[in-house]
Amino acid sequence: MTAPATVEEWHGFLRAHSAAHLASRMLRELVADGRIAVSEQQRRTGWLGREPATEDAVQAAEERLGCALPPSFRNFLLVSDGWSESGDELHGLFRLDGVGRFEDLRAELMDAWADLDFFADELAVLRRSLLIADHEDGVYWVLSPDSGDADGGWTACVWDTADGAPAKYRTFGDLVADALA
C-alpha cells in the first residue's frame, strides 16, 4: 500500500478507509456492544474523520510549537483535524490544538522515566518529539524531527511502553498505511 502524502492522497485514502471500516463487522460489533459510537452523520456521509483544519489554524499551531509540521502530517490535518475513536488502529489522533511536545504534555511520565536507564535513548527522542496520539494502554504516537528526509518529513514512531523501543516509520503516512494494512 502506498503511503498517502498529499492532501489529495490523504482525502482518497481516508475516504476509502472510512467506507471500508463503516462496512466492517468489527465496527458493527463495537457499536452494538456500546464501546464505540458512530453518529448518524458519519453513517450518512461515510466519513469517520473530523472537519479539516484550516491553513490559518495549521500556521498558528506551527507558531505555537516553534516548528514547521512535517508535510505528511500537515496534509493529513488539512483533510481531517485529528481522527475520532473508531476502534481501528487510527483511532484517537489528537486535534491540532491538542498536539504538543511530548515533554510538555506528558511531563509526569518524563519525570518518572528519567531515572530509568532502560528509557534513556527513548527519552532523548521524546524530548524532541511531538505527541499526536496516546492511548490508555501506554501506546504513544509521536513525530520525531530526527529524520534526514530531503522533503522535510519527520520520523513517525509508535511507542508501546510495554514493548520497549518504539516502532519507527519514515513518515506519518507510512505509519498510518502500515497501521491500517
Side-chain angles (χ1 to χ4, degrees), residues 21-22 26-39 42-43 48 84-88 91-92:
H21 197 58
L22 281 165
M26 179 191 77
L27 184 63
R28 286 192 305 272
E29 289 173 359
L30 290 170
V31 169
D33 291 346
R35 292 185 281 166
I36 300 289
V38 175
S39 72
Q42 288 173 312
R43 290 178 201 275
L48 291 171
S84 59
E85 179 67 40
S86 56
D88 60 12
H91 68 91

Side-chain angles (χ1 to χ4, degrees), residues 42-116:
Q42 288 173 312
R43 290 178 201 275
R44 189 177 65 257
T45 63
W47 179 245
L48 291 171
R50 295 186 172 131
E51 290 294 315
T54 64
E55 181 63 36
D56 288 344
V58 172
Q59 289 177 2
E62 289 175 329
E63 287 180 32
R64 173 179 58 86
L65 297 167
C67 62
L69 293 173
S72 180
F73 183 60
R74 188 181 207 285
N75 289 335
F76 169 88
L77 292 167
L78 292 171
V79 174
S80 181
D81 185 5
W83 197 259
S84 59
E85 179 67 40
S86 56
D88 60 12
E89 292 299 316
L90 187 58
H91 68 91
L93 287 173
F94 296 160
R95 290 178 185 269
L96 187 55
D97 60 3
V99 171
R101 301 241 175 244
F102 190 98
E103 68 179 346
D104 296 335
L105 296 176
R106 298 299 176 264
E108 73 286 355
L109 291 176
M110 296 294 285
D111 291 342
W113 294 336
D115 295 329
L116 303 174

